[in-house]
Amino acid sequence: MLSDRKAGLPFGVDRERDQALCEQVEALLSQMTLEEKIGQMNQVAGSRDTTGAPANTDIEADVRAGRVGSVFNAFGVEFTRELQQQTIEHSRLGIPLLFGYDIIHGFRTIFPIPLGQAASWHLEGIERAARIMAEEGAAAGVHWTFAPMVDISRDPRWGRVMEGAGEDVLLTSRIARAQVRGIQGADPGATDTLAACVKHYAAYGAAEAGREYNTVDMSEWRLREHYLPPFLAALDEGCASVMTAFNTLNAIPATCHPLLLDQILRREWGFKGMVVTDYTAVMELECHGVAEDASEATRKSVNAGVDMDMQSGYFVETLSELVQGGQVDEARIDEAVRRILWLKAALGLLDDPYRYADTEREAQCLLSEPHRRAAREQAAESMVLLKNDGHVLPLMDQCQKVALIGPLGNTQRLLGSWRGNGDHDDTVTLREGIANRLGEDAVILCAQGASNQIGDTDTAGIEDALEVVRQADVVVLALGEDEDYADEAASRADIGLPGAQLELARRVLAEAGDTPVATVLFNGRPMDLTELDAMAPALLEAWWPGTEAGNAVADVLFGDVNPSGRLPMSFPVSVGQVPIYYNAFNTGRPKGVDPKYASQYLDIPNAPLYPFGFGLSYTTFDYGPIEMACTEIASEDTLEVRLTVTNTGERAGIEVVQLYLQDVSASVVRPIRELKDFQRLSLAPGDSECVTFQITPDMRHFLNAELDSVQEPGLFRVQIGHCSESGEEIEFRVV
Ligand code: BGC
């Protein structure tokens, strides 16, 4: 249950202000006709960006007639001011519009994709990025953003894994909180913050076969244990609104799901904020097959608890008749409108509809130098060093002839999808980044070699690439997907390198001989890297790094930044392992007991190529033995465990120390391990630090068969290490 202060509205800034806002809203509500109320529940797309099938014609006429409460894909001070003026000056009550926009990893200064940000495990850095995103969005007239996206996903075929924090509940929940804090600040009503919207509620990341928009069917146990906690975390941090998901969940579309929208969100959690649908999700109830027409789709979604319809236009079309016919209660309409007006009031729009419209601020804020610096820092710390045989990396400073090979070496398409108003022209290519780092005397020889487009298997460019390799004293191979391959509506069945890139890598690596080759990967999902891993000595996962891409990659390649990223999702050996996740069950016949009758594949291992939490560094860390105060505790006790971590290498570095827990035997099966805490340590060469973790009763709780959160006595195993598959294990007992 959320506390009053955190239940979304009116943000709990202070009691007096809350009281005043409520009175303001009630006064307005009492003057509104039914049509005007329904107008507030209608959200339409503006013309500045496209994030779904276009549908609107003349939104200005609707705005003037009071038939629109919110416009999304609307940004830019001039554009939003003009639209706001239409409603203020021409509609009967002049209720300001709420402008929404997807600011997912940056408005104009683009930060790494969220999956990359998650790989930093750096919550303060993630909060700072969200803060800057919000500052830029607010400076461009936006009030509300559709972030954070907290969909847990165990399936890298699904293109939207790029938008979330990966496969783990704890990491995703902590990141969700950091993002909400960053977006909303201490007061979402301040003009440099935005209202947040946690999405997509719920279980969207579990689409069958990783195919976009596909069916989701899962037990309520799994839903509540794994998929819902990040939503609750975001709301508990004060997130202002919730967006419904496109998918069905156990045969009911999320957009009219009574269990999700009424029972859990309102009754159990006590959320008082606004619920908006995803793009045309009300209309899609017809395609799903739970509504025959617009009227039935409207009735089902409104009665389930939806407050605002994004882009279907069905509420304006049918809701009035439904209320008059008694199929939707007018009190339900009042409740929805009250929530929408609360949000507008809390943002200060009812007092001053133009308070976010400041052209001077807009000009100064977007893409400022400090913002670019923050983007570069975050991009560098999101990168994960997957392999570094023979210490290929960091590259020597004195290398003067670099062969930069591959389709991603000399391109500005490094922002990733959901890039907001980011501009490719602002983006630093890898070629520029390396040139900036090495200075004027260095020679960078570029050859694309192969394309990264699906189906383009042309190998004609490989010979040129080999020619370049022969001239160089170091080779950088820049491979990956296209930035729009990990996106909405971008599922892939084959998660390998598209086009002829593997062939290019084979030939370049063979040609290079003793010349060092470092491979940099740009992609928005875990990929199948098995063959590349077998032949390439050094692999750096750079995700989609954003505006400062090239500089940030160069920072890591040349050792100015020691990589510290850790994978937020398992990288499979083959797509045949998918869905794959580290916190799985053991099964009754785990691998390694009987050679034949085991839960295993005949042709590939069970373990992923790179596990959750994995990432190398240019230095090495040593973990001392785990010490714990006692090995038996009572259920209400917190157990302190500690160990010493030492930087045993020659460079300063950051180590992400991860604590996993297993409840060895319980009334329901518990995963073989679950991340319960982590700490990011910064250690100079030779330095040690004693790390202390508190294993609280909370961490030992789980949902039992009755879906009650319980702790049960018995044996627990603690594992502390640098990834999910390493580290000493030690046991304790709850009595
Ligand atoms: C996406 C949402 C997004 C919305 C508005 C939809 O297609 O699923 O994540 O917020 O469009 O752009």
Side-chain angles (χ1 to χ4, degrees):
M1 187 76 183
L2 299 162
S3 65
D4 259 6
R5 200 184 74 73
K6 294 187 165 162
L9 280 172
F11 297 130
V13 178
D14 72 49
R15 280 195 177 285
E16 252 172 62
R17 180 168 177 245
D18 287 359
Q19 187 57 33
L21 295 183
C22 287
E23 282 165 17
Q24 198 177 16
V25 166
E26 290 312 311
L28 198 50
L29 195 61
S30 66
Q31 298 169 55
M32 294 170 78
T33 63
L34 178 60
E35 307 300 331
E36 283 164 338
K37 290 177 188 172
I38 294 168
Q40 287 302 304
M41 297 168 71
N42 186 32
Q43 186 189 46
V44 298
S47 54
R48 300 280 333 245
D49 201 353
T50 315
T51 51
N56 304 316
T57 44
D58 182 9
I59 67 168
E60 289 199 8
D62 286 336
V63 163
R64 283 196 294 270
R67 281 195 294 266
V68 177
S70 170
V71 182
F72 72 109
N73 291 345
F75 56 84
V77 164
E78 209 182 311
F79 181 84
T80 50
R81 177 185 278 281
E82 269 174 31
L83 213 50
Q84 195 68 293
Q85 227 162 346
Q86 300 291 328
T87 190
I88 301 299
E89 292 174 11
H90 300 283
S91 67
R92 189 180 75 94
L93 292 172
I95 302 174
L97 293 167
L98 186 63
F99 294 120
Y101 190 51
D102 293 283
I103 305 174
I104 306 302
H105 54 115
F107 178 75
R108 180 66 188 270
T109 309
I110 304 302
F111 288 79
I113 55 167
L115 191 65
Q117 295 192 24
S120 74
W121 295 52
H122 186 201
L123 301 174
E124 293 78 19
I126 292 170
E127 181 174 338
R128 182 172 63 154
R131 189 79 282 286
I132 292 173
M133 280 153 46
E135 266 173 39
E136 290 197 355
V142 178
H143 309 135
W144 180 31
T145 188
F146 308 124
M149 186 278 212
V150 302
D151 296 316
I152 298 282
S153 185
R154 298 161 165 183
D155 194 332
R157 292 171 297 186
W158 191 51
R160 297 196 86 165
V161 297
M162 62 72 61
E163 252 182 279
E167 72 188 39
D168 183 59
V169 182
L170 177 95
L171 187 61
T172 303
S173 301
R174 287 196 182 169
I175 288 175
R177 284 182 183 274
Q179 287 174 322
V180 171
R181 284 196 299 272
I183 294 168
Q184 297 194 162
D187 175 8
T191 50
D192 62 349
T193 59
L194 302 171
C197 182
V198 65
K199 70 188 186 185
H200 307 84
Y201 188 66
Y204 185 26
E208 280 177 3
R211 201 184 78 216
E212 180 66 305
Y213 312 130
N214 205 3
T215 307
V216 175
D217 200 315
M218 68 168 66
S219 68
E220 195 175 329
W221 178 86
R222 176 164 278 189
L223 174 76
R224 287 176 180 268
E225 180 88 351
H226 294 145
Y227 287 79
L228 294 186
F231 287 92
L232 184 57
L235 297 177
D236 188 57
E237 203 60 48
C239 182
S241 59
V242 173
M243 183 186 290
T244 67
F246 284 129
N247 53 283
T248 55
L249 171 67
N250 304 339
I252 299 176
T255 297
C256 62
H257 208 295
L259 173 73
L260 287 176
L261 295 173
D262 186 49
Q263 175 60 29
I264 297 177
L265 187 64
R266 301 299 184 189
R267 291 175 203 269
E268 293 180 27
W269 295 352
F271 178 61
K272 300 196 200 78
M274 186 230 281
V275 172
V276 63
T277 71
D278 204 343
Y279 202 109
T280 59
V282 176
M283 184 188 284
E284 289 164 29
L285 297 183
E286 293 171 72
C287 278
H288 276 301
V290 296
E292 274 193 12
D293 53 20
S295 172
E296 194 174 11
T298 300
R299 174 174 62 75
K300 286 199 164 171
S301 52
V302 173
N303 283 343
V306 164
D307 302 314
M308 185 179 274
D309 167 13
M310 181 190 283
Q311 191 65 3
S312 299
Y314 276 16
F315 289 8
V316 210
E317 200 182 312
T318 64
L319 200 43
S320 170
E321 212 171 286
L322 285 166
V323 173
Q324 277 147 19
Q327 288 161 287
V328 173
D329 203 336
E330 189 159 356
R332 173 73 266 276
I333 306 294
D334 285 350
E335 178 185 64
V337 177
R338 195 172 274 125
R339 289 174 184 149
I340 294 162
L341 295 179
W342 271 342
L343 185 53
K344 293 184 177 183
L347 289 165
L349 293 172
L350 297 188
D351 297 327
D352 177 4
Y354 303 107
R355 62 198 300 266
Y356 291 76
D358 176 344
T359 29
E360 209 172 297
R361 185 161 70 109
E362 184 179 38
Q364 280 165 9
C365 176
L366 306 191
L367 207 67
S368 70
E369 261 321 294
H371 292 182
R372 290 194 79 130
R373 261 200 311 280
R376 178 171 176 168
E377 264 173 44
Q378 200 193 34
E381 68 186 23
S382 73
M383 291 177 201
V384 184
L385 183 62
L386 296 175
K387 189 175 176 191
N388 196 18
D389 283 1
H391 302 285
V392 169
L393 289 171
L395 299 175
M396 297 172 310
D397 280 353
Q398 58 271 37
C399 54
Q400 287 303 299
K401 253 195 186 175
V402 180
L404 180 54
I405 312 286
L408 289 146
N410 196 14
T411 172
Q412 290 181 306
R413 287 181 62 79
L414 300 175
L415 296 177
S417 63
W418 291 108
R419 49 190 168 266
N421 193 32
D423 190 337
H424 286 113
D425 288 345
D426 302 327
T427 308
V428 182
T429 66
L430 182 50
R431 180 189 216 283
E432 288 162 346
I434 294 176
N436 292 343
R437 175 60 175 75
L438 292 181
E440 282 172 7
D441 294 340
V443 177
I444 302 165
L445 305 165
C446 285
Q448 183 176 323
S451 137
N452 59 345
Q453 299 300 301
I454 293 171
D456 183 351
T457 52
D458 190 355
T459 53
I462 296 184
E463 276 310 323
D464 287 351
L466 299 183
E467 185 47 43
V468 165
V469 168
R470 286 192 277 272
Q471 298 169 47
D473 43 34
V474 73
V475 180
V476 176
L477 248 180
L479 307 177
E481 302 185 284
D482 179 85
E483 62 177 348
D484 289 335
Y485 287 176
D487 191 2
E488 181 177 351
S491 296
R492 291 186 64 201
D494 171 356
I495 52 171
L497 287 168
Q501 293 183 86
L502 255 187
E503 177 62 10
L504 173 68
R506 263 182 227 123
R507 308 240 335 246
V508 165
L509 285 157
E511 187 68 43
D514 290 339
T515 309
V517 182
T519 304
V520 183
L521 294 159
F522 297 94
N523 47 280
R525 54 158 59 78
M527 296 183 74
D528 171 353
L529 299 175
T530 301
E531 192 178 338
L532 185 66
D533 173 84
M535 60 185 172
L539 291 174
L540 179 69
E541 174 55 74
W543 314 105
W544 294 110
T547 307
E548 284 288 325
N551 286 332
V553 174
D555 287 340
V556 176
L557 285 181
F558 292 95
D560 300 328
V561 173
N562 187 351
S564 58
R566 300 289 183 268
L567 294 179
M569 269 186 98
S570 312
F571 273 45
V573 160
S574 137
V575 77
Q577 292 178 324
V578 167
I580 183 166
Y581 48 99
Y582 80 95
N583 48 344
F585 288 166
N586 201 30
T587 80
R589 292 185 176 188
K591 193 173 167 117
V593 181
D594 183 284
K596 177 168 171 61
Y597 295 99
S599 176
Q600 63 189 359
Y601 300 100
L602 293 179
D603 47 357
I604 53 169
N606 283 5
L609 182 65
Y610 303 115
F612 174 81
F614 176 79
L616 302 171
S617 165
Y618 295 155
T619 187
T620 45
F621 298 96
D622 178 65
Y623 281 59
I626 306 176
E627 292 165 25
M628 57 172 75
C630 57
T631 52
E632 262 190 23
I633 55 167
S635 60
E636 64 280 10
D637 289 349
T638 289
L639 177 65
E640 187 172 293
V641 294
R642 59 171 69 185
L643 84 172
T644 301
V645 178
T646 307
N647 180 345
T648 48
E650 278 154 24
R651 284 170 178 268
I654 291 172
E655 174 70 339
V656 182
V657 184
Q658 302 162 37
L659 178 136
Y660 296 86
L661 206 60
Q662 181 190 11
D663 187 340
V664 177
S665 163
S667 61
V668 296
V669 177
R670 306 297 301 135
I672 43 179
R673 58 179 70 84
E674 274 183 317
L675 182 72
K676 291 293 176 184
D677 203 358
F678 60 88
Q679 288 182 36
R680 222 169 153 263
L681 301 185
S682 182
L683 290 175
D687 272 10
S688 294
E689 193 170 322
C690 176
V691 189
T692 307
F693 290 103
Q694 308 292 337
I695 301 178
T696 59
D698 250 20
M699 293 181 184
R700 307 188 295 262
H701 269 75
F702 60 90
L703 293 185
N704 66 10
E706 286 72 45
L707 304 178
D708 293 325
S709 176
V710 295
Q711 182 190 182
E712 292 175 358
L715 190 64
F716 286 79
R717 212 164 270 149
V718 187
Q719 172 197 333
I720 303 179
H722 66 254
C723 82
S724 58
E725 286 189 2
S726 80
E728 189 198 350
E729 283 183 359
I730 180 165
E731 292 175 349
F732 69 92
R733 188 170 282 282
V734 174
V735 290

